[in-house]
């Protein structure tokens, strides 16, 4: 029995890992890690990048006299695939640091590989039969043939369903297939593949006491992008369009606030009762900013559930806990798949 879980969030070249274990007394936080891939998984090089790779290899072999367009030998041409190989090798190094035979892995879907549909919950079936019904309904909108494994759903506010469709197989899975032969007996088991938004909303449902009609803005901030999910009570209500600004921008808070105001002015979004913050942000500054912008709302950081203990020294935690919101959500959801709160 696998009583441990590894939440693995991969967003571009940023990788965060949360390792937790379930004992008879509760959940133990074992380890938190941050790593950087040299390139995104599964992203092919552009012609310009391939040319630069080839020229760099040529110059390394023959000196700085090389000119653009000069012929290169086979050794230099082979260098064009080095970046993707390095990304795979980096992921192998990350996974090799864990006992994968004891753990389930939960991983997020890339933002650009998920399509969302808000549908009225008028279906008389559940489980895989409901997935098949949803598949038949949304299949005409997709060029690729769908299977039930590519579809998931969660209950949404006002008797709706949020249907999520994975448009393409995640690059992580392709890379994992390649790496299995290098992992030997330490083979990984994927227990969960989930979207960023639904994974984080599961933490809110499980750990925040929200009233049935309460409107919550769940704000998740990465280095270069942000996402805002709106919940009504414990259920999904709507997603705001992706925001191409994150913690690396000094004005990301103002941009997020303006997007929420636009939804209120143009989209009929009700007043915000609660703001929940997660991701790569300066927590005190973010709480101060959004408390000022939403003076009637409760502003807080996301909660992760109780840990009965940790195997990490506080000084060795590589970043504020809010930075690990996504991998912790994936890990907890993987560890307790039958828990209705997740």
């Amino acid at each position: 029995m696998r009583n441990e879980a590894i939440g693995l969030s991969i967003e571009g070249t940023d990788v965060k890992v949360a390792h937790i274990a379930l004992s008879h007394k509760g959940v133990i936080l074992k380890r938190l890690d941050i790593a950087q891939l040299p390139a995104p998984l599964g992203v092919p090089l552009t012609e310009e990048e391939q040319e630069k790779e080839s020229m760099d290899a040529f110059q390394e072999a023959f000196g700085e006299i090389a000119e653009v367009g000069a012929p290169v030998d086979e050794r230099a041409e082979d260098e064009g695939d080095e970046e993707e190989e390095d990304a795979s090798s980096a992921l192998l190094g990350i996974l090799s640091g864990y006992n994968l035979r004891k753990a389930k892995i939960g991983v997020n879907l890339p933002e650009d590989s998920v399509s969302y549909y808000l549908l009225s919950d008028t279906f008389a079936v559940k489980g895989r039969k409901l997935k098949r019904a949803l598949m038949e309904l949304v299949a005409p909108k997709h060029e690729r043939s769908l299977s039930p494994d590519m579809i998931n759903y969660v209950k949404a506010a006002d008797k709706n369903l949020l249907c999520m469709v994975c448009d393409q197989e995640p690059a992580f899975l392709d890379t994992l297939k390649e790496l299995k032969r290098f992992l030997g007996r330490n083979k990984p088991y994927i227990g969960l593949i989930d979207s960023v938004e639904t994974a984080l909303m599961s933490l809110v449902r499980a750990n925040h006491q929200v009233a049935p009609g309460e409107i919550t803005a769940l704000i998740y901030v990465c280095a270069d992008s942000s996402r805002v999910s709106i919940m009504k009570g414990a259920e999904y209500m709507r997603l705001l369009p992706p925001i191409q600004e994150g913690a690396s921008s000094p004005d990301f808070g103002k941009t997020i606030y303006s997007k929420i105001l636009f939804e209120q002015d143009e989209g009929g979004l009700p007043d915000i009762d609660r703001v929940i913050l997660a991701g790569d942000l300066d927590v005190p500054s973010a709480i101060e900013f959004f408390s000022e912008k939403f003076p009637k709302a409760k502003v807080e950081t996301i909660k992760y559930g109780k840990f009965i203990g940790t195997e990490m020294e506080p000084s060795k935690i590589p970043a504020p806990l809010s930075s690990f919101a996504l991998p912790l959500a994936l890990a907890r959801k993987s560890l307790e798949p039958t828990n209705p709160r997740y």
Side-chain angles (χ1 to χ4, degrees), residues 3 5 14 45 54 125 159 163 207 218 231 238 288 318 335 342:
N3 61 351
D14 296 328
L45 299 178
S54 296
V125 291
K159 297 182 179 180
C163 175
N207 302 299
L218 171 56
M231 301 178 69
R238 71 173 71 175
E288 181 181 358
L335 195 61
Y342 289 112

Side-chain angles (χ1 to χ4, degrees), residues 134-151:
L134 293 171
M135 181 178 66
E136 292 175 4
L137 190 62
V138 302
K141 301 178 182 180
H142 292 262
E143 295 181 1
R144 182 185 177 192
S145 60
L146 302 180
S147 68
D149 292 335
M150 299 167 62
I151 292 179

Side-chain angles (χ1 to χ4, degrees), residues 138-341:
V138 302
K141 301 178 182 180
H142 292 262
E143 295 181 1
R144 182 185 177 192
S145 60
L146 302 180
S147 68
D149 292 335
M150 299 167 62
I151 292 179
N152 203 357
Y153 61 90
V154 294
K155 287 186 177 181
D158 304 320
K159 297 182 179 180
N160 290 318
L161 285 177
L162 175 65
C163 175
M164 297 154 287
V165 179
C166 181
D167 296 316
Q168 57 191 10
E169 184 167 298
F172 170 79
L173 293 183
D174 288 334
T175 303
L176 199 59
K177 291 174 185 176
E178 298 173 7
L179 297 181
K180 278 187 176 181
R181 59 194 177 100
F182 298 107
L183 290 167
R185 293 184 177 181
N186 195 29
K187 293 191 183 300
Y189 170 75
I190 306 298
L192 174 72
I193 301 175
D194 204 359
S195 71
V196 172
E197 291 81 4
T198 53
L200 291 172
M201 283 190 285
S202 71
L203 278 187
V204 175
R205 281 196 302 273
N207 302 299
H208 292 261
Q209 299 297 321
V210 291
E214 186 175 321
I215 304 300
T216 297
L218 171 56
I219 299 173
Y220 178 62
V221 179
C222 300
D224 300 311
S225 63
S226 304
R227 299 176 177 91
V228 180
S229 307
I230 304 298
M231 301 178 69
K232 184 176 182 180
E235 297 178 328
Y236 163 88
M237 185 177 181
R238 71 173 71 175
L239 298 178
L240 271 60
I243 299 169
Q244 301 307 317
E245 278 188 52
S248 60
S249 168
D251 295 324
F252 79 91
K254 295 179 182 178
T255 302
I256 292 172
Y257 176 62
S258 68
K259 298 292 185 182
I260 295 174
L261 283 187
F262 180 82
E263 287 292 318
Q264 291 178 323
D265 293 339
E266 302 295 330
L269 178 66
D271 290 341
I272 302 298
D273 300 307
R274 185 188 298 251
V275 176
I276 297 178
L277 303 169
D280 299 319
L281 39 73
D282 181 337
V283 172
S285 297
I287 289 178
E288 181 181 358
F289 176 83
F290 287 106
S291 295
E292 179 183 322
K293 297 301 182 184
F294 298 102
K296 295 182 180 180
K298 180 178 181 179
V299 181
E300 59 185 337
T301 54
I302 200 164
K303 298 176 183 177
Y304 313 97
K306 293 181 179 179
F307 297 112
I308 61 168
T310 177
E311 296 181 3
M312 294 189 70
E313 296 179 16
S315 61
K316 293 186 177 180
I317 296 177
L321 205 57
S322 64
S323 297
F324 294 93
L326 180 54
L328 281 168
L330 294 165
R332 295 211 68 136
K333 202 169 178 179
S334 301
L335 195 61
E336 302 178 75
T338 59
N339 187 333
R341 296 185 303 168

Side-chain angles (χ1 to χ4, degrees), residues 37-196:
L37 300 177
L41 293 172
V43 177
L45 299 178
T46 64
E47 290 184 8
E48 182 179 347
E49 289 171 333
Q50 289 175 357
E51 183 176 346
K52 184 179 184 302
E53 287 278 333
S54 296
M55 288 308 304
D56 288 347
F58 183 86
Q59 290 176 353
E60 183 177 345
F62 299 106
E64 296 297 328
I65 61 171
E67 298 179 359
V68 174
V72 295
D73 61 14
E74 292 181 0
R75 177 178 53 182
E77 290 175 350
D78 289 341
E79 295 292 331
D81 292 331
E82 183 177 336
E83 196 163 356
E84 171 61 22
E85 292 172 359
D86 285 347
S88 299
S89 299
L91 185 60
L92 176 63
I94 295 167
L95 295 175
S96 298
Y98 295 86
N99 186 346
L100 302 179
R101 288 178 293 175
K102 290 185 177 181
K104 305 172 185 177
I105 294 178
V107 65
N108 65 288
L109 288 166
E111 180 184 345
D112 58 0
S113 70
V114 186
S115 296
Y116 295 92
Y117 302 93
L118 188 62
L119 307 170
S120 296
D121 188 5
T122 57
F123 300 92
V125 291
K126 296 181 180 180
R128 290 191 71 83
K129 289 184 178 180
L130 176 53
K131 282 191 176 185
R132 290 190 179 278
L134 293 171
M135 181 178 66
E136 292 175 4
L137 190 62
V138 302
K141 301 178 182 180
H142 292 262
E143 295 181 1
R144 182 185 177 192
S145 60
L146 302 180
S147 68
D149 292 335
M150 299 167 62
I151 292 179
N152 203 357
Y153 61 90
V154 294
K155 287 186 177 181
D158 304 320
K159 297 182 179 180
N160 290 318
L161 285 177
L162 175 65
C163 175
M164 297 154 287
V165 179
C166 181
D167 296 316
Q168 57 191 10
E169 184 167 298
F172 170 79
L173 293 183
D174 288 334
T175 303
L176 199 59
K177 291 174 185 176
E178 298 173 7
L179 297 181
K180 278 187 176 181
R181 59 194 177 100
F182 298 107
L183 290 167
R185 293 184 177 181
N186 195 29
K187 293 191 183 300
Y189 170 75
I190 306 298
L192 174 72
I193 301 175
D194 204 359
S195 71
V196 172

